[in-house]
Structure formats: structure tokens, C-alpha cells
Amino acid sequence: NTTSLTTGLKTVIVVVGLAMTSGALGWFGRLPGDVRIERESVRVYVPITSMVIASVVISAVLALLRRFF
């Protein structure tokens, strides 16, 4: 049933969003391999490692969902 899947996905997005704003995922984006350059007039942030980890987690979750649904 796609309605329950959509509702579950929305719930996960809200929970992750709340965790990020509360500081529970404060380590995310500050991993070794994340490029951060801060100067007086310029800030550059490239979260390479964080996005690789996010991609692996999302791919694993989608693979599990595909297997069971």
C-alpha cells in the first residue's frame, strides 16, 4: 500500500529533521573528508564523506524496502 509507505517516509524525514536541528546529528557534516574552508569573506563547504555515507544508507534502506515490498 503506497499510502502507508508515503506516511512512513514522511515520518522518517520529520524525525531526521528534528534530530538534526536538536543537535543529535551534530557529527554529520563534520567528518574527516568533509571540506570546509572559512575565510573572512568566503565560506566553502563540501560534505563529501557525509554525502557518501548518506548515499550508502539510503541505498541500503531502499534495497531492503524493494526486497520486502
Side-chain angles (χ1 to χ4, degrees):
N1 191 347
T2 57
T3 305
S4 62
L5 181 62
T6 304
T7 303
L9 185 59
K10 289 177 184 178
T11 303
V12 168
I13 290 172
V14 168
V15 168
V16 169
L18 289 173
M20 289 182 77
T21 57
S22 71
L25 294 176
W27 55 269
F28 192 76
R30 296 183 185 351
L31 297 172
D34 291 343
V35 178
R36 173 179 261 158
I37 300 171
E38 295 184 19
R39 304 243 166 99
E40 289 181 23
S41 61
V42 177
R43 288 185 186 177
V44 178
Y45 179 63
V46 185
I48 297 170
T49 306
S50 296
M51 290 300 102
V52 168
I53 290 173
S55 176
V56 169
V57 169
I58 290 169
S59 295
V61 167
L62 290 176
L64 286 172
L65 286 174
R66 235 180 281 141
R67 178 174 290 226
F68 292 115
F69 294 103

